[in-house]
Structure formats: structure tokens, C-alpha cells
Amino acid sequence: MKKPNPVKTVLSVAACKLTRAALRRTGRGGTAVPGIVAMKVERNILSAVSEGMKVVLVTGTNGKTTTCNMIEHVITACGHDCLLNRSGANLLHGIASDLISSADWRGKARYSYAVLECDEAALKQVVQFLTPAAIVVTNLFSDQVDRYGGVQNTLKEIRTAVQNSPASTLVLNAEDPLSSSLAFDSPARTVYYGLESSVGVQGDVDLADAGVCPKCGTAYEYDYHIYAHLGGFRCPKCGLRRRDPDVAVTAIRGTGADGSTVRMRVRSGAGTVVEEPAVAEAAGAQSVSAEAAGTGAADREREVHIALPAVYNVYNAAAAVAAAIALDLPADRAMEALSSVRSSFGRMETFDLNGVRAQMILVKNPAGCNQAFTYVTSTDEDYSAVLILNNRTGDGVDFSWIESTDYEKLCADPHLKKIYYGGDRAEDLKDRLLRAGADPELLTPAGDYTELVETLAREGRTVYLLPNYTGMMDMRPALCKATGTGDFWE
Ligand SMILES: [Zn+2]
């Protein structure tokens, strides 16, 4: 990396901040353009503004935004200031805009930490310009095939980035054969997180993305499954297998609309230990024993409350604790912080529509959508579902993923009382729902979102909103207007 020129650095930062301010004044969120302008002035500006800052890059198919949100919350709870790219602009220039704008006018970092969501394909570009302290890969599933050329290609892109970042600690999902394979040929320090077989979760198994060992091509055998291709995999021929996680969820005690209570174990020697047990601010976080929490000699296991529901958020929470360990932050404090984490933009975000609870879950690929259905159908109250399907550039033009998504599971749930369907592909969605066995009586076109929100509030039944990305962007203003919630860049 060439050293940035000090004069150009100042000019580049000024260009970024002024462009951003001008775009906002004209009412645009303005995300990539300020970064493009700044990098034209000084190509290596990112190395200047990230100097002395510990940067965490979070990539993967599902859970990026929530995991970032949790890691930022954990870092803040440990007493540090932290930048988060809340705008969701996760390509190189969007990341550049957020990072450069956060620096002072001389180009010096004002935060000690930054947690940056990074698109899978953009990761290798970003690491050309800055050296992250940690790279978190949540999981890899088929997603937007038309854009990435398949999950194996995505893995290849991430592998290139990882190989060019030997100084960065890897944080990997132990049960995902794809993302965990990133460490198999890397000298980087790795922190694994995962769910043990003892949690007893068994979702839908789908090995289409990752059925065979990348080293010898033999079909994996599984000791247990979590969902899709996540589980206790091992290759019977060459021995490649799931590694024991440093942060392991050993049991899920309870799950509900307000979160999950789990038991989490941190391997001894993984990360630093809080000398004095921090004051538990919420009921959920309690040490198993003072000895286990304080000495660091034994594995530390404790009950942890995660203030976001669904099994996939248990994974995201374990990833956040693993990231804290990668950053040498105290694991105990990280676990405690999970009890007060809040949902982010469109991910389990809850809206109160005149006393009616409406929960928004962004869905954009079969693995994520099936997990959302697992959560929705696990509750025991009646509800309406709002399904929105667009196929614009931000979503992937190819929407054939709905064919391999388990709508049958949703449609078979007796608590489902009404399905509103909408978006550019509303008719395709309706057709898919009917083939999945939906009762035609339950199907209603979503229509105008403002009117829909009014209707939902009147009906008085819990609502699950399941849009894909641009669908969420279309629908959210109506929800914000009805509830007085702010826009995402505020
Ligand atoms: Zn093998």
C-alpha cells in the first residue's frame, strides 16, 4: 500500500464531507458518490483514515447487518467508541464514504473501532486499502446467483481477500463447511463460533451448496444438522471436519418474540478475562460460578439472554462474542451486552401499529427465508403475513429462489390467518403460494402500502412483514409514517 500524500489526504476528506453534505441537502441519502470523489483525489485515503483504528469487516450471505449491529453494541458496552456503517452501503465506495466522513478534517480517525458490513464480492477490494483487525464471515448460501456466479465463486472471492490479509483474525462459523474452509489453508489466527449438537435444533437440511469436501470431493457425513448445510460435518476420507468452536452455544433454554435465552461457553484461553465480574444489568446474564468467570483457567459457561428472537440470531450473537475475542475484548462483558442489543433496520425490527405488533424480517434467499418461516411458525398466536417480492437490481433480477424456498411450511401453519402478497412479482408469488397449498381464501393483494398499514392496524392481529430488499425500502416509509420512526441515515 502506497503511503497517502498528506495534502491530498486533507483535500480528499474535504471532498468527501462536502459532497456528502451537498447530497443530503438535496434530499438524497448519497452513499457511494462521496467515496468515489475522495478516492479520485487520494487513492489510498482509506489507509490514512483507518490508521490506528481497529476495523472489523463483516461479510457472508445472511446475518451481516444484525451481526455488525451486535458487534458494535458489544464494543460500545466494553467502553470503546465505535463507528458502524448504518447506511447499509456495503460496497467499496459506500464503505469509503462512511469511513472518510467519520475522520476529522486532517484525515485522522476519530473512533478507536469501526464495524463495517462488507459485500462478499467487495471484500477483496476493501482489503487492498486497509488492514482489518478481524474479518467475520457469517455463513455462505446460494444468493443472487445472477450477480455472484454461484456460492463457490463467492467463496473464491472471499478466499482471495483472506489470503491477502494474513494479519487479520478470522471469525468463522464452525458448522458451515464453506466459510470455515477459509481457515484450512490460511496462517491467520482464527476464532470459531458455533452451535453444539446438544442445542437440539434440527431445521431443514439442504446440502445443495456444500455437500462435498473441497479437498477430496467426498460427500460429507454429518453428526448433526442445524439448518441447510450447517452442522457437524466431517469428511470420511481425508478427515476434514468441523472444528470445535471457541464460542459455543450448548443449549437453547427458551425462545420467544423478545429473544432467546441460551447457554454459551467460551473456551479457556480464548480472549481476555474480566478481573472483576461486571455488574449484570439485565436478568438474563449471570455467571455460572465466580470461579469459572474469573480465573480464565476453566472454560467459561454461562446463561446469556439475546434480545433478538430466532435461532439465526443465536448464531449472530455467537459471532459477535467471537469477534470480541478476536479484538481481545472481555468475553464476559460481550455476553452480557447481548441482553440489551436492539434490532437494526428491517431485521426483526418491530413496529407498534396502534397496539398491533408488526415485525419486519428481511428475506432474500432460500436459507434466510426458510429460517424466517421457522421463526414465524414457531410462535403460538394467530398472525398475518405480508410477503413482498421485487426483482430489481438491489434484489437480484433472478427470483427463481422462491422455487426452492419452503412456502409449504408457512402455508401449513394453522396460526396463519391471512397472507398479503405484493411487489413487482406479486403474481409469481401468488402462484408459488397456491402451489405451496395456501388456502386461496387467505390470499389478499397487498396493494398500496399506506392503506395496507392502516388495514393491518385495524385488524388487530400480530403481523410478520417478510419483504426482500427493495420491497423493504418501498414499504418502510409507510410504517415509519404510521409510527413516527426515523429514516435510516438519521
Ligand atoms: Zn475430504
Short mmCIF file of all heavy atoms in Angstrom, two decimals, residues 213 215-216 218 235 237-240, ligand 1:
data_model
loop_
_atom_site.label_atom_id
_atom_site.label_comp_id
_atom_site.label_asym_id
_atom_site.label_seq_id
_atom_site.Cartn_x
_atom_site.Cartn_y
_atom_site.Cartn_z
N CYS A 213 -16.60 -32.47 0.34
CA CYS A 213 -15.33 -31.97 0.87
C CYS A 213 -14.55 -31.23 -0.24
O CYS A 213 -14.37 -31.79 -1.32
CB CYS A 213 -14.53 -33.15 1.38
SG CYS A 213 -12.83 -32.77 1.79
N LYS A 215 -11.46 -30.64 -0.36
CA LYS A 215 -10.11 -31.18 -0.55
C LYS A 215 -10.11 -32.45 -1.40
O LYS A 215 -9.27 -32.61 -2.26
CB LYS A 215 -9.47 -31.49 0.81
CG LYS A 215 -8.97 -30.22 1.48
CD LYS A 215 -7.91 -30.52 2.52
CE LYS A 215 -7.30 -29.20 3.00
NZ LYS A 215 -6.75 -29.31 4.33
N CYS A 216 -11.08 -33.35 -1.14
CA CYS A 216 -11.02 -34.63 -1.83
C CYS A 216 -12.30 -34.98 -2.59
O CYS A 216 -12.36 -36.01 -3.25
CB CYS A 216 -10.63 -35.75 -0.86
SG CYS A 216 -11.93 -36.12 0.32
N THR A 218 -15.17 -35.96 -1.54
CA THR A 218 -16.03 -36.99 -0.94
C THR A 218 -17.25 -36.32 -0.27
O THR A 218 -17.13 -35.23 0.28
CB THR A 218 -15.23 -37.77 0.14
OG1 THR A 218 -14.02 -38.21 -0.45
CG2 THR A 218 -16.01 -38.96 0.66
N CYS A 235 -15.47 -35.20 6.74
CA CYS A 235 -15.17 -35.95 5.52
C CYS A 235 -14.64 -37.32 5.92
O CYS A 235 -13.62 -37.43 6.60
CB CYS A 235 -14.12 -35.21 4.68
SG CYS A 235 -13.53 -36.20 3.30
N LYS A 237 -13.17 -39.47 4.22
CA LYS A 237 -11.96 -39.91 3.52
C LYS A 237 -10.71 -39.19 4.04
O LYS A 237 -9.76 -39.83 4.49
CB LYS A 237 -12.12 -39.68 2.02
CG LYS A 237 -11.04 -40.35 1.21
CD LYS A 237 -11.37 -40.33 -0.27
CE LYS A 237 -10.18 -40.84 -1.09
NZ LYS A 237 -10.25 -40.37 -2.47
N CYS A 238 -10.72 -37.84 4.03
CA CYS A 238 -9.48 -37.13 4.39
C CYS A 238 -9.51 -36.55 5.80
O CYS A 238 -8.52 -36.01 6.28
CB CYS A 238 -9.17 -36.03 3.37
SG CYS A 238 -10.21 -34.57 3.52
N GLY A 239 -10.65 -36.63 6.47
CA GLY A 239 -10.69 -36.21 7.86
C GLY A 239 -11.00 -34.74 8.09
O GLY A 239 -11.08 -34.29 9.23
N LEU A 240 -11.16 -33.97 7.02
CA LEU A 240 -11.54 -32.57 7.17
C LEU A 240 -12.88 -32.50 7.90
O LEU A 240 -13.80 -33.24 7.58
CB LEU A 240 -11.70 -31.94 5.77
CG LEU A 240 -11.77 -30.43 5.70
CD1 LEU A 240 -10.42 -29.82 6.02
CD2 LEU A 240 -12.20 -30.01 4.31
ZN ZN B 1 -12.07 -34.87 2.21
#
